[in-house]
Amino acid sequence: MSGIERICLLGFGEVGQTLAADFQAAGITQLSAFDVLFKDPASACARAAVETNVRVAKSAEEAVATADLVVSAVTAAQDVAAARSVVGAMKPGAYFLDVNSVSPGVKTQAAGLIDGSGARYVEAVVMSPIHPKRVGSPMLFGGRHAAAFLPLARALGFSGAQVFSDQIGRASAAKMCRSVMIKGMEALLTESLLSARHYGVESTVIDSLRNLFPTADWSTLARYMISRSFIHGKRRAEEMREVARTVEEAGLQPHMSAACAERQDWAASFRDAASIEDLDAMLDAVLARATAEKP
């Protein structure tokens, strides 16, 4: 395959929409997409596909039929199902780039389905938020087809991509273990500072963090990380369940990751508070509502 001319996006949420815009900027004009939410023409992803001139397919099989590259950007729980839905429908030799945040074991299942069908599976993990670097975000590629795919990916704008391993699962292990820390810190800060604000000791807690980790502006960092949980809590909770699966696959009990998933799920119900710029005011807004809703 000399180049990528036709791309299919499985899943048209934030990542899918971002990549679609960047692919179009790179000169790709033949873009197709399928999302289970397309069945509702009024859904945000269906409207976005129309607005960006992406061909809306009626099924996953139709979407991938002529694609040189299929990018799977579905929810974590649907990773294997998305791969299974296109088995036998992809062109022989076409690439399947799986960017979903799932455990090494799940990636291995998806890879077996795709490679077994004659297409070429490439594991991918995004090691930062998709914004602001978008398609150029740091990514780790894995699997036996990763090295061959890398120059094609670079031509599409994946400037931050690198081959991490020819073994499926290692890249995802790195991402999932990182998430134990990053999403865990979000959950810990949310729980710590909401409780501290209730008792009127939040400034003391933040000052103690400055003493322990002096390089960080903890007021700014805390507001940012807590607000990310409010905005993306549902998706983060799903990822943390995959993180818990990753920890279990390592033979450990995922006590911290499982609890983090619960806190992220809870945080998602306070999305409106994320727009409040002042940390104390944001905490107060959440506490007021959480207290009012407590049975």
Side-chain angles (χ1 to χ4, degrees), residues 70-86:
V70 175
V71 180
S72 179
V74 298
T75 61
Q78 295 302 312
D79 183 81
V80 173
R84 185 176 290 116
S85 72
V86 299

Side-chain angles (χ1 to χ4, degrees), residues 41-287:
S43 67
C45 64
R47 295 197 310 270
V50 173
E51 292 167 0
T52 54
N53 294 318
V54 172
R55 183 175 68 84
V56 175
K58 295 180 180 179
S59 67
E61 295 87 346
E62 177 191 326
V64 306
T66 62
D68 303 310
L69 168 65
V70 175
V71 180
S72 179
V74 298
T75 61
Q78 295 302 312
D79 183 81
V80 173
R84 185 176 290 116
S85 72
V86 299
V87 168
M90 292 178 62
K91 296 192 306 183
Y95 286 99
F96 185 99
L97 185 69
D98 185 346
V99 303
N100 300 307
S101 296
V102 295
S103 76
V106 171
K107 292 272 188 175
T108 300
Q109 291 181 56
L113 290 167
I114 297 300
D115 284 343
S117 72
R120 293 185 277 190
Y121 181 93
V122 178
E123 176 185 21
V125 297
V126 185
M127 297 297 286
S128 72
I130 196 66
H131 297 288
K133 294 185 177 180
R134 303 172 65 91
V135 72
S137 298
M139 296 186 191
L140 303 179
F141 288 171
R144 60 191 178 96
H145 302 297
F149 178 66
L150 183 62
L152 300 174
R154 291 272 172 83
L156 293 171
F158 288 93
S159 58
Q162 61 176 296
V163 174
F164 184 72
S165 174
D166 61 2
Q167 179 183 340
I168 295 291
R170 287 179 56 81
S172 291
K175 169 66 182 283
M176 295 288 98
C177 293
R178 175 183 183 273
S179 290
V180 173
M181 290 298 298
I182 302 302
K183 275 68 174 185
M185 283 181 64
E186 292 175 354
L188 287 170
L189 283 167
T190 299
E191 190 162 306
S192 170
L193 292 184
L194 282 170
S195 300
R197 182 65 175 170
H198 168 80
Y199 291 107
V201 297
E202 70 283 350
S203 61
T204 302
V205 172
I206 289 175
D207 285 344
S208 72
L209 293 175
R210 291 191 184 110
N211 292 334
L212 184 61
F213 303 105
T215 59
D217 178 348
W218 277 97
S219 292
T220 300
L221 181 62
R223 193 221 154 266
Y224 170 75
M225 296 193 83
I226 293 171
S227 68
R228 295 285 292 176
S229 287
F230 294 157
I231 297 170
H232 303 294
K234 184 176 181 180
R235 188 173 68 198
R236 277 162 156 64
E238 192 165 333
E239 178 178 330
M240 288 311 296
R241 292 185 185 100
E242 286 298 317
V243 170
R245 188 197 299 259
T246 300
V247 174
E248 287 181 329
E249 289 172 2
L252 302 171
Q253 287 297 315
H255 301 300
M256 302 300 291
S257 299
C260 176
E262 291 185 22
R263 178 57 70 194
Q264 292 280 2
D265 242 345
W266 176 88
S269 63
F270 298 93
R271 183 184 179 93
D272 291 348
S275 62
I276 302 173
E277 293 297 329
D278 180 74
L279 173 61
D280 288 348
M282 181 176 73
L283 296 174
D284 286 342
V286 174
L287 282 171

